[in-house]
C-alpha cells in the first residue's frame, strides 16, 4: 500500500512550485546567520511530496524530512488547505482566550493516546522543559520531595535549552555551558540492573527520584530501540515507588515508528509524554501530555505566548487526521520493513563498511563499522552526490527518516542511491 504522491494529487500546483526560487547565495547567508550548523553545500528551494530541488534544479529524494518532521512530505494538499484557511481567519491571539483549533487538536491527541490533558508549546525542547517542570512540581507538592532527581539515559537527546541539554546524556552537547541545571542522573540505556542500582542509591535515606525520562527509541543516540522487558520493568518500578515515567516522543512519535506513539511498541503507558517534530508536519508546534493523576499545573505555573496558536493547531490537526484517513501508520510499517530489508542487503554487499541495520517503522539506522575511518557524514555527502538526502545520528550511524507518505518505488530509488553511495566510498 502506498499513499498518493503529491504529483498525482495536484500537478498544476506542483508545476507552480517548480517556478519558485531565490537568488540568495550561501556566501550571503553566512554573512548574516550564526554558524551554529555544519550545513551541506546545497541550497534547497522547493519540495513536493518526498522530493526536494536545489537552486541548481537538481532533484533529491528526501530521506531526512526535516529530521523526522515533515510527516506528510512537502506541500501536501491537506497542509496547504489548512494553512490557507486558517491564515485567512485567525492565526494568533495568545492564550488569553479560547480558540477552537487548540481544543480540537487537544481532543484528537487525548482520544488517540493514554493522556488526559495537553499543554501546547512550540518545540520538542520546550515540551521536555515542561515535562521536567511538571515532574518537579509533582515531586514537591504530591510526594514531598525536597531535592528531586530525574533519571535519564546515556546517549539520550532531549533538546538544546539549558535544562534539556543537562537531561541529555551526551557530554558533547553540554561542553561550554556549565554550570548545568542540577537534579539529573544518567544510566545506561536498556540496562535495568544499572537503573535499579541508581534508584536504590538515590532513595537510600529518603525518596529523591521524581521521574525517569527516556526515549522509546534513541534517535540522536544512534537509532537504538528500547527493550520491551526493560521498559515494562521500569513501569513496574515507577508504580511501586510513585515515580513518574516520562517518554520523550519528539522524534519517534506521530507514526514515525509504525505506531502512533513509540511507547506502544513497548507495551507500556507513560505518565507523561512529549511530542513535536512530526506533530505539525513542519509547522512549529510542541505538546506536553499527561495523565490526570499528574495534571497539577495551575494558572501561572507554565505558559507560552505562541504555544497552541490557532494557525499551528489547525495545521497539526490536518496532519493528525491525514495520518488516519490515508492509513499512514500501515504505510510506515510496510515501507519501513522494505527499507530495512534493502539496507540489510546493502550491509551484506559491503560487510567491511556496514556493521548493523536497526529501527522501527520509518526511523532506521545503518551503523558503520567502528574500526574503519568512514563516518556517517561522509556517507551522507556521498548520498547527496547520488541524489538522496540522509542524516547522521552520531559519527557512525546514518539515519533514514523519509516522510510517512513515501512509496515503494521511492524506497527502491533510495536504496539504489545508497548502494551507489557506498560503492563510491
Amino acid at each position: 500500500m502506498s499513499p498518493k504522491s503529491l504529483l498525482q494529487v495536484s500537478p498544476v500546483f506542483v508545476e507552480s512550485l517548480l517556478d519558485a526560487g531565490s537568488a540568495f547565495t550561501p556566501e550571503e547567508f553566512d554573512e548574516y546567520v550564526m554558524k551554529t550548523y555544519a550545513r551541506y553545500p546545497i541550497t534547497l528551494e522547493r519540495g513536493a511530496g518526498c522530493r526536494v530541488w536545489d537552486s541548481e534544479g537538481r532533484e533529491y529524494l528526501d530521506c531526512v524530512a526535516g529530521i523526522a518532521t515533515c510527516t506528510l512530505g512537502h506541500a501536501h494538499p491537506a497542509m496547504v488547505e489548512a494553512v490557507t484557511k486558517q491564515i485567512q481567519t485567525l492565526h494568533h491571539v495568545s492564550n488569553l482566550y479560547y480558540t477552537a483549533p487548540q481544543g480540537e487538536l487537544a481532543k484528537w491527541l487525548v482520544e488517540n493516546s493514554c493522556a488526559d490533558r495537553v499543554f501546547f508549546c512550540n518545540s520538542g525542547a520546550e515540551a521536555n522543559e515542561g515535562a521536567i517542570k511538571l515532574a518537579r512540581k509533582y515531586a514537591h507538592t504530591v510526594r514531598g520531595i525536597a531535592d528531586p532527581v530525574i533519571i535519564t539515559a546515556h546517549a539520550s537527546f532531549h533538546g538544546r535549552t539549558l535544562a534539556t541539554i543537562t537531561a541529555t546524556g551526551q557530554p558533547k552537547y553540554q561542553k561550554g555551558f556549565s554550570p548545568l541545571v542540577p537534579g539529573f542522573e544518567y544510566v545506561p540505556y536498556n540496562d535495568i540492573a544499572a537503573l535499579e542500582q541508581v534508584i536504590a542509591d538515590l532513595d537510600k535515606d529518603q525518596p529523591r527520584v521524581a521521574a525517569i525520562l527516556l526515549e522509546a527509541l534513541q534517535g540522536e543516540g544512534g537509532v537504538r530501540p528500547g527493550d520491551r522487558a526493560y521498559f515494562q520493568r521500569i513501569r513496574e518500578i515507577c508504580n511501586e515507588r510513585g515515580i513518574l515515567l516520562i517518554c520523550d516522543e519528539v522524534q519517534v512519535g506521530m507514526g514515525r515508528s509504525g505506531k502512533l506513539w513509540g511507547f506502544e511498541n513497548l507495551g507500556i503507558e507513560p505518565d507523561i509524554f512529549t511530542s513535536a517534530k512530526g506533530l505539525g508536519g513542519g509547522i512549529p508546534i510542541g505538546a506536553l501530555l499527561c495523565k490526570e493523576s499528574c495534571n497539577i499545573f495551575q494558572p501561572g505555573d507554565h505558559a507560552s505566548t505562541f504555544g497552541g496558536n490557532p494557525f499551528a493547531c489547525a495545521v497539526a490537526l490536518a496532519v493528525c487526521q491525514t495520518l488516519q484517513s490515508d492509513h499512514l501508520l500501515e504505510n510506515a510499517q510496510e515501507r519501513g520493513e522494505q527499507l530495512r530489508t534493502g539496507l540489510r542487503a546493502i550491509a551484506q554487499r559491503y560487510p567491511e563498511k556496514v556493521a548493523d541495520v536497526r529501527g522501527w517503522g520509518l526511523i532506521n539506522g545503518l551503523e558503520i563499522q567502528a574500526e574503519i575511518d568512514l563516518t556517517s557524514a561522509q556517507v551522507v555527502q556521498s548520498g547527496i552526490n547520488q541524489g538522496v538526502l540522509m542524516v547522521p545520528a552520531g559519527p557512525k550511524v546514518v539515519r533514514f527518516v523519509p516522510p510517512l507518505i513515501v512509496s515503494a518505488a521511492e524506497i527502491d530509488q533510495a536504496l539504489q542511491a545508497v548502494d551507489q553511495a557506498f560503492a563510491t566510498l
Side-chain angles (χ1 to χ4, degrees):
M1 168 180 50
S2 296
K4 287 184 178 180
S5 72
L6 179 64
L7 294 172
Q8 292 172 309
V9 173
S10 182
V12 174
F13 179 69
V14 171
E15 189 63 32
S16 71
L17 289 176
L18 301 182
D19 293 331
S22 169
F24 207 77
T25 67
E27 291 74 23
E28 290 175 297
F29 187 101
D30 286 338
E31 250 186 273
Y32 302 105
V33 180
M34 286 187 182
K35 294 185 179 180
T36 57
Y37 302 97
R39 301 176 195 269
Y40 289 96
I42 57 173
T43 300
L44 298 181
E45 289 195 341
R46 55 190 179 268
C50 295
R51 300 172 189 277
V52 292
W53 287 264
D54 69 15
S55 56
E56 303 300 316
R58 190 178 180 197
E59 177 184 313
Y60 303 87
L61 187 59
D62 186 3
C63 287
V64 178
I67 313 183
T69 297
C70 299
T71 307
L72 306 184
H74 303 277
H76 191 283
M79 291 186 66
V80 172
E81 181 181 2
V83 165
T84 304
K85 180 180 178 181
Q86 193 60 47
I87 202 67
Q88 293 176 328
T89 55
L90 193 69
H91 71 287
H92 176 72
V93 293
S94 85
N95 286 292
L96 293 173
Y97 315 101
Y98 292 95
T99 61
Q102 183 175 154
E104 290 167 357
L105 178 59
K107 180 182 178 182
W108 191 97
L109 290 169
V110 166
E111 290 182 347
N112 288 276
S113 76
C114 62
D116 298 303
R117 299 284 177 169
V118 187
F119 171 86
F120 290 108
C121 50
N122 310 289
S123 67
E126 289 177 65
N128 286 332
E129 283 269 354
I132 291 166
K133 286 180 66 175
L134 183 60
R136 285 187 169 188
K137 182 172 184 185
Y138 184 90
H140 285 295
T141 62
V142 176
R143 296 187 59 207
I145 298 176
D147 188 19
V149 174
I150 296 174
I151 297 174
T152 70
H154 293 302
S156 60
F157 184 84
H158 299 294
R160 298 280 192 162
T161 64
L162 198 54
T164 56
I165 62 164
T166 308
T168 293
Q170 299 194 57
K172 67 180 182 181
Y173 293 115
Q174 301 168 346
K175 186 177 180 181
F177 298 112
S178 60
L180 299 175
V181 177
F184 293 92
E185 293 286 339
Y186 313 104
V187 294
Y189 192 63
N190 282 336
D191 185 337
I192 195 64
L195 175 64
E196 290 186 306
Q197 185 60 60
V198 167
I199 293 173
D201 291 343
L202 288 169
D203 284 357
K204 182 178 179 181
D205 298 319
Q206 58 185 345
R208 291 193 63 204
V209 180
I212 300 170
L213 168 59
L214 297 168
E215 298 157 276
L217 174 150
Q218 289 191 327
E220 302 297 323
V223 191
R224 299 187 183 279
D227 178 73
R228 190 179 180 92
Y230 172 75
F231 272 83
Q232 291 185 348
R233 178 57 187 144
I234 290 173
R235 181 67 272 178
E236 291 174 356
I237 293 169
C238 289
N239 291 344
E240 293 164 1
R241 293 175 169 266
I243 296 169
L244 296 177
L245 175 56
I246 307 172
C247 283
D248 179 342
E249 291 276 327
V250 169
Q251 185 162 168
V252 78
M254 285 305 297
R256 176 58 54 186
S257 73
K259 295 184 182 294
L260 186 57
W261 308 111
F263 59 76
E264 293 180 90
N265 294 278
L266 303 170
I268 57 102
E269 290 184 356
D271 302 293
I272 299 168
F273 67 97
T274 56
S275 181
K277 285 188 179 285
L279 176 60
I283 299 299
I285 187 171
L288 161 64
L289 302 97
C290 74
K291 292 191 173 184
E292 190 60 43
S293 57
C294 51
N295 174 36
I296 59 168
F297 275 161
Q298 298 296 316
D301 282 345
H302 200 47
S304 171
T305 297
F306 292 109
N309 71 70
F311 178 80
C313 286
V315 180
L317 183 61
V319 172
C320 294
Q321 292 170 338
T322 304
L323 274 179
Q324 289 181 319
S325 64
D326 287 11
H327 306 287
L328 295 185
L329 296 182
E330 294 91 333
N331 194 61
Q333 294 166 13
E334 294 170 11
R335 299 287 71 77
E337 185 57 42
Q338 177 190 357
L339 178 58
R340 285 186 294 280
T341 298
L343 290 176
R344 290 183 186 116
I346 291 172
Q348 290 179 346
R349 282 194 289 278
Y350 304 99
E352 74 285 357
K353 297 175 183 175
V354 180
D356 191 22
V357 172
R358 56 180 176 265
W360 291 338
L362 285 173
I363 178 165
N364 293 280
L366 182 149
E367 185 172 11
I368 301 163
Q369 292 286 2
E371 64 271 14
I372 63 176
D373 292 335
L374 186 64
T375 67
S376 56
Q378 290 172 308
V379 175
V380 169
Q381 182 59 64
S382 185
I384 290 173
N385 297 339
Q386 300 300 325
V388 63
L389 304 184
M390 304 172 286
V391 60
K396 285 288 186 176
V397 177
V398 180
R399 183 175 14 172
F400 298 81
V401 282
L404 302 193
I405 63 168
V406 68
S407 68
E410 287 166 332
I411 292 292
D412 282 341
Q413 181 185 343
L415 289 167
Q416 292 171 11
V418 173
D419 196 301
Q420 289 291 322
F422 273 99
T424 62
L425 290 167

